[in-house]
Structure formats: C-alpha cells, structure tokens
Amino acid sequence: MSSVVAHTRSGSLNLPIPIAIAIAIAACDTSTEPGTTGPDTTPPLPPGGPPAGTVYAVDVSHWSGQVSEGQVACWWNEGIRHVIAGTQDSAISVQQLQVASSNGMTVDAYVVLEWDQDVTAQVDRALRMIAPYPVRRLWLDAERSAGGRSAAEMVGLIQQSVDACDGVPCGIYTGKGWWIRSTGNSTAFSHLPLWYPRYNGQANFDEWYDPSAWYEGPYGGWDHPSGKQYDSTGTAPELCNVNVDYNVMYTSRSSAAELKAEVGRVRMLQASGLIWHRVELARSFVQPVVIMQPLSYNSESPATVRLRNVTRLGFEYQIDEWDYLNGVHTFETLGYLVVEAGVHRLDDGRFLEAGTVEVGSAFSTVSLSAPFGGEPVILTQPQTNNEDSAVATRQRGASDSGFELKLTEEEANDGAHAEETVGYLAFAPGAGTLDGVEFEAWHGARPVSSSWTRVDFSRSYDGPVLIAAIETYNDGDPAALRYRDLSAYGVELLVEEETSRDAEIAHGDETAGYIVLEYRGDPGDDSYDLPPEPWGLSPSGGQQISTSAVTLSCYPIAGATNYEFEIEYQKSGEWTEYHTYRAIENSKIFWPYVENTRYRWRVRAQNGVGWGERSVWAYFVFGDV
C-alpha cells in the first residue's frame, strides 16, 4: 500500500504544528471489485499534467528500498512533486524522507495499522520516527482485514487512531468496498479529507463525479475527494528504477514553485527602546522563518533589527539600537520575508532552503541540505530575544554545503551573548518567482563598506522590498547593513559600525547578499503615504552659474516638513561628496568653493511617515566668478 498528501478543495488546512495527520484506510481487497485491478497500458504520468490544483505524487515503502538523489531528481523531471514514505522500516523510511525533502519534494509518511495491536502506540511510534523531517501529513493506513470485528468496533478503532493524532487535522484513505463492508458505510469521518484508490490509470476524478458502476462514486458521507491513487506497483512500471504507486492529489499548492511565503513592508517610529511592534501575517505558517533587514537610513543612529515571538501567525520586531544609545529612533522602513521552513525547489529547478539553528558568540557550522551546486545567497537573523543586549549575526565561509555563523554584540560589551534561535534563508542565485512574487537573489557585484555602494537590480520592480545581509567576515568590528535610495532599479548599501568603544567607523570591504521582491501592498498600506520624488529641480540641464552663490530649488511637496539637498562635484573625473544640507523650505542657498567645476545635486522630502525617494540628479557648472 502507498499514499499521498491531500487537502480539501475548499482550501489548505491551517496546521498548528509541523506534522499534519491523516487516517489512511486502504482497500487491500479491491481485487474483488470490478475494474480496480488488472493490466493497464496507460502511462503512469499521463501527458498534459494533472488537473488544476493537483500534483502528481508517488508513495514508497520498505519494499522500494533506499532511494538516491539521482532517482529523486529523475522523479522531479518526470513531473512528481510529492513523496510519501511508509514507516515499516525506520532506517529505510528516514533515508527516503531525508533524500526526498532535501531535493525539493514535499513529503508525507504513512503507517500500516494492525488491528490486533495497540493502534495508539503505532501512531506514536510513527510520529517519533518522522519528527526530524518536514513531514506535512501522516497517513494511518487501515488496509488490514477487519478480522470478524463489527462495524461499531472498527469505527471505534479508527476513532482511537484519530484521537492519537491529538487534535492535529486528520484525513481518511479508503476504498468504497472496504469502507462499506468494514464500517457499515459510516459517515462519522466525513468531515475529514478523503483519498481513495481506483487503479484505472486515469489521473482524474471522473468516476467519482460521473460513476458508471456500483464501486465508483461517493460513499461515507464525502462530497468531494482530496486525492486518488490511480495506479499501483502491481500494474504500472517502475519509475526511475524504483517501485512506486502513482497518485494525483489536491494540495495546498499546485507546484513546488508555489511554496508558502509572505513578503511585506512596514514604516514605523520608535519612541522608546522598550517598545516592540507586531506584524500579523496574512497566511498561517507551520514553521515560519523571518528575515527583516536591513534598516533604512533616515536616522544616523547605528542600529540593527531584532525579532521575537515568531509564531505561525505573526512576529514582533523593534529597531535595536546598540546598547550605548537610548533606543529612540525616527521613522524607518523595513521589508520582511517569511518562508516556511524546509527545502523548496522552484519551477526553474533552483533551490531555496529555510531553517533555524541555535547559535552563540562563537562561530558554529550550519549545514545545508539542498543541492545548490554553488554558493547560495545566505541571509540570517535572530528569531528570539533570550538576552536583551543588542546583537547582530555575522557569517563566513559559505558554500553549497553550509556556512559558519555567530552572534556579535557591541565592542564595549564582553563579547558573550546567550544562545539565540537564528533563522536562515539560502537562495540559489538568479531571478524567478517566489509564491507568485517576482524576485531576484544575488551576491553584490561590488564590495560594500563604510562608504555607500550602489547595487543595480537585474530587472525593474514597481514596489521593491529589499532583504539583505553581510555575507563575509573580512572585518570583525560589529556592524550592520543599512540602505537608502531604494528604487525600481537599484539601491545603495552601507556597512554601519557602532561607536560604543571608539569613534572609528571605517569598515573593510565585505560581500553583501540580497533579495529584492515585488510588493504592491494593499489599499491600507501606509507605504503610499511617503512624499513623492521631488521634481522641477533648478538649476539643471548643465547650465553655467556665474554668481557667487547658487540657489537649489524644487517644486514644493504637499505635507513636507523637511528637505535634504545632497551635492557632489567632479574631481579628476570622479564624483566627490561636497555636502548635504537639510532645510525646512524647498530651496537652499550654498556657496561653492571649487570654481570652473561641474556639480550635481538631488533632493528628497520628509513628512510624518518618513523620507521619500530622492530625485534624479540635476547638473550645473559653477563658472569663473
């Protein structure tokens, strides 16, 4: 017997813990039912793909033996997206689960229930076996003969199996003939998902909704099935040299590319370092991993971003200024990305891995499971607040097999920090789609340091959200990444050191990893309340100024409370910083000190929400005065 994951047609199940449980009641004696067995020449994976909202899946058992990465990759190429492992032999089961999940498949497990033994103990044993793996559902396979037991006794045993799930969502696998004979066609479990066997080689549910024989169509009070086992190891060929059963299932996602993820953006003012802010997630996760950094650069007070109370429904965060500061911080913008823990394979074949580890102040090795085939983009952030001291993660030595990671406090502290749970995301570099959202993940082409560095995106984004981190450890001084001038085409990044011990803030070159994602928010999103990019700049167009003073101006921005004028001049063919002025008016007078020189300038506006985007550069020549 073998089985596969299922969800109801009405939507995905919200699972309160990492393992979803289902009851599998199989019809091992379906050979007595017309049309359910016999030779079949239909290809196990029919051309054209599965019905909308479903995936192809295979189930394996101890008879299948251990599977290799190459065989799982072959399954993927054939169109399989989900694997279910039997728990008959623990050594084989855990190997199958590990290899399948590490190569992008979602995974389930099943346990064959023996009615003359304690069914609760059997379920408990299976749960302990699969606990280390990202198993989404355990199917309780009840295909053994009722052994003369009454329908009431069988319903009672099935209920014990449900109770052993301890409140976790369950589902039923059964054939019509077995169910009617063994339970008297009980409707006691019709509120749970149904998966049924019908070995006709057809990866659809036509016989359920349009039955032509007594052994087809609804039973047990179920209106709609969640899955179908349409061919078995006995009638179909091996798949990639492995004995498997073939299934088509409704699931919470129709392909591996549509993994569970959520992207968002917040803007907030922090009146005290004791304040925590809350993000309620739109989706329900099982094991969410949250990355929420870097911080924008409206305030020059050095800071990181801290998380705590990360749950399936949301998380808390704060702007975590270093300990020598007071924690009061002006408006900043933060993007966040939440991904379900596990190894995910995108439709283009690239991998994404999300997970958590326990880390302290010394470097620890973090192993990656996904076969990235090269150095992935790795982002990390503490998910807990076990110690209040401000802290940031630093990492080094990334490869396709793992990386090293530690926590770092400010220099004035003793350097020791309590262990925290740290979340990590590892992306294969490239551009693609993440749960329907366009994104790209890259290592920065230019090194980042204590001077602003421009990063150009490979494509444009109407509403970009940036997630980024320092990926190397070339300079060990405590530091965090900051950003400014995030636009559709790029962003500027800065490695910002803290000054708790001394005023030195020069930081050596590092590599930054980043992800930029498309985000348009919703009608109530305050991201649209920032000031617009200023326009109507004067002087511009390269005109020559012959007066001793220059007045920079732009059109006034409604609601603006401040303007910031950034000025550079050309020196030896390179643009060099001149000065940055702030003013409450939309104009500023300054006196250039370098004559016969080309200048450029730009401006941005601030309101009660924060600073808006900078304008384009405007150019003029300061002549001989």
Side-chain angles (χ1 to χ4, degrees):
M1 181 281 164
S2 26
S3 60
V4 73
V5 66
H7 285 286
T8 61
R9 286 189 170 191
S10 59
S12 61
L13 297 174
N14 293 329
L15 309 180
I17 64 174
I19 301 173
I21 309 291
I23 300 204
I25 303 171
C28 69
D29 57 351
T30 53
S31 59
T32 62
E33 300 175 4
T36 58
T37 61
D40 191 285
T41 59
T42 304
L45 296 180
T54 66
V55 295
Y56 285 135
V58 297
D59 56 77
V60 292
S61 69
H62 61 300
W63 298 112
S64 307
Q66 294 189 356
V67 295
S68 68
E69 289 190 355
Q71 287 169 324
V72 175
C74 179
W75 289 348
W76 183 279
N77 292 335
E78 291 294 329
I80 301 300
R81 294 295 182 267
H82 188 81
V83 177
I84 308 93
T87 58
Q88 299 94 332
D89 184 310
S90 61
I92 292 177
S93 299
V94 298
Q95 190 274 340
Q96 292 170 338
L97 290 170
Q98 194 278 327
V99 172
S101 62
S102 296
N103 284 271
M105 299 286 186
T106 52
V107 292
D108 284 354
Y110 70 88
V111 54
V112 179
L113 293 175
E114 305 290 345
W115 302 119
D116 57 353
Q117 300 176 24
D118 186 344
V119 293
T120 298
Q122 295 173 59
V123 174
D124 289 343
R125 174 182 173 274
L127 290 176
R128 289 194 299 271
M129 183 186 304
I130 65 180
Y133 304 97
V135 173
R136 294 169 42 170
R137 189 176 299 272
L138 176 68
W139 296 91
L140 307 184
D141 169 8
E143 65 180 290
R144 301 305 191 205
S145 169
R149 294 176 178 82
S150 68
E153 289 175 317
M154 292 303 298
V155 170
L157 287 172
I158 295 168
Q159 187 62 59
Q160 288 181 36
S161 302
V162 174
D163 293 342
C165 301
D166 195 23
V168 179
C170 300
I172 302 278
Y173 171 102
T174 189
K176 185 174 183 178
W178 189 95
W179 189 256
I180 292 174
R181 288 191 302 272
S182 300
T183 72
N185 204 24
S186 171
T187 61
F189 306 98
S190 61
H191 60 290
L192 303 175
L194 170 70
W195 170 48
Y196 71 99
R198 173 76 172 100
Y199 301 148
N200 61 358
Q202 302 298 312
N204 56 48
F205 303 93
D206 292 353
E207 73 282 339
W208 179 274
Y209 296 106
D210 188 17
S212 59
W214 69 267
Y215 49 81
E216 298 177 341
Y219 55 93
W222 285 288
D223 294 324
H224 305 289
S226 294
K228 172 185 173 182
Q229 189 178 57
Y230 67 85
D231 223 334
S232 73
T233 55
T235 61
E238 293 182 345
L239 186 64
C240 304
N241 296 317
V242 183
N243 284 325
V244 300
D245 290 340
Y246 299 86
N247 305 273
V248 60
M249 304 297 299
Y250 284 98
T251 67
S252 62
R253 56 189 176 93
S254 60
S255 75
E258 296 170 354
L259 61 91
K260 188 181 289 185
E262 187 167 327
V263 59
R265 180 172 56 206
V266 297
R267 287 182 171 84
M268 40 75 70
L269 171 71
Q270 189 161 287
S272 166
L274 302 177
I275 295 175
W276 288 83
H277 316 272
R278 177 75 180 172
V279 169
E280 299 290 344
L281 296 174
R283 309 176 67 172
S284 177
F285 289 79
V286 177
Q287 292 177 298
V289 177
V290 182
I291 304 295
M292 190 185 203
Q293 61 178 2
L295 193 66
S296 61
Y297 199 69
N298 294 326
S299 169
E300 297 179 0
S301 296
T304 67
V305 182
R306 196 69 182 271
L307 305 176
R308 73 177 186 184
N309 295 335
V310 177
T311 72
R312 53 189 292 266
L313 299 177
F315 60 92
E316 293 180 303
Y317 71 95
Q318 70 171 197
I319 297 175
D320 196 17
E321 290 189 346
W322 296 99
D323 298 338
Y324 68 95
L325 300 171
N326 62 13
V328 178
H329 206 96
T330 191
F331 283 98
E332 299 285 4
T333 302
L334 302 90
Y336 62 85
L337 175 61
V338 186
V339 177
E340 191 71 77
V343 174
H344 310 281
R345 189 172 186 176
L346 306 183
D347 277 342
D348 61 10
R350 290 183 300 117
F351 284 90
L352 158 62
E353 183 171 340
T356 58
V357 291
E358 301 300 315
V359 177
S361 301
F363 273 112
S364 300
T365 299
V366 180
S367 297
L368 296 174
S369 300
F372 290 104
E375 181 183 341
V377 175
I378 299 173
L379 310 175
T380 61
Q381 188 169 13
Q383 312 285 286
T384 54
N385 190 46
N386 297 332
E387 180 182 332
D388 288 338
S389 298
V391 68
T393 55
R394 292 297 301 274
Q395 59 203 60
R396 69 183 182 188
S399 70
D400 61 351
S401 62
F403 61 100
E404 291 185 301
L405 177 67
K406 76 168 188 174
L407 305 176
T408 181
E409 294 184 353
E410 66 179 37
E411 283 187 308
N413 288 356
D414 59 9
H417 193 94
E419 280 198 349
E420 304 280 1
T421 299
V422 176
Y424 65 87
L425 298 180
F427 282 79
T433 303
L434 178 65
D435 198 16
V437 176
E438 288 188 349
F439 84 100
E440 61 184 81
W442 302 104
H443 306 289
R446 303 183 185 94
V448 294
S449 66
S450 47
S451 298
W452 287 102
T453 300
R454 174 74 180 179
V455 174
D456 294 313
F457 304 148
S458 67
R459 57 187 181 187
S460 65
Y461 297 86
D462 291 338
V465 167
L466 177 75
I467 313 294
I470 303 170
E471 290 189 300
T472 51
Y473 195 69
N474 299 330
D475 185 332
D477 286 350
L481 208 60
R482 301 287 292 270
Y483 80 90
R484 72 179 186 184
D485 294 346
L486 176 61
S487 70
Y489 306 101
V491 70
E492 292 185 3
L493 297 178
L494 174 77
V495 179
E496 181 185 56
E497 292 191 358
E498 49 80 29
T499 57
S500 60
R501 176 174 291 176
D502 55 53
E504 184 271 319
I505 58 172
H507 198 94
D509 288 350
E510 306 279 7
T511 298
Y514 73 90
I515 301 171
V516 59
L517 306 102
E518 185 71 80
Y519 175 70
R520 293 183 174 86
D522 54 60
D525 187 354
D526 67 1
S527 64
Y528 298 102
D529 295 333
L530 285 174
E533 176 185 309
W535 70 102
L537 277 62
S538 176
S540 64
Q543 70 185 85
Q544 182 162 322
I545 306 296
S546 299
T547 58
S548 59
V550 178
T551 300
L552 308 178
S553 67
C554 65
Y555 292 154
I557 303 298
T561 56
N562 285 286
Y563 294 84
E564 184 179 77
F565 298 84
E566 181 181 357
I567 309 168
E568 296 180 351
Y569 69 96
Q570 211 162 34
K571 180 179 180 181
S572 301
E574 299 290 336
W575 289 107
T576 303
E577 181 180 357
Y578 177 86
H579 197 71
T580 298
Y581 297 97
R582 287 190 177 178
I584 61 174
E585 303 292 341
N586 60 310
S587 64
K588 176 63 180 177
I589 300 175
F590 83 106
W591 289 262
Y593 60 79
V594 182
E595 296 183 351
N596 299 314
T597 301
R598 193 170 185 233
Y599 285 76
R600 69 177 186 180
W601 68 283
R602 58 184 178 177
V603 61
R604 62 174 177 167
Q606 183 186 44
N607 63 11
V609 177
W611 287 99
E613 290 189 9
R614 285 177 168 83
S615 67
V616 297
W617 288 103
Y619 297 84
F620 66 90
V621 176
F622 184 61
D624 183 0
V625 297

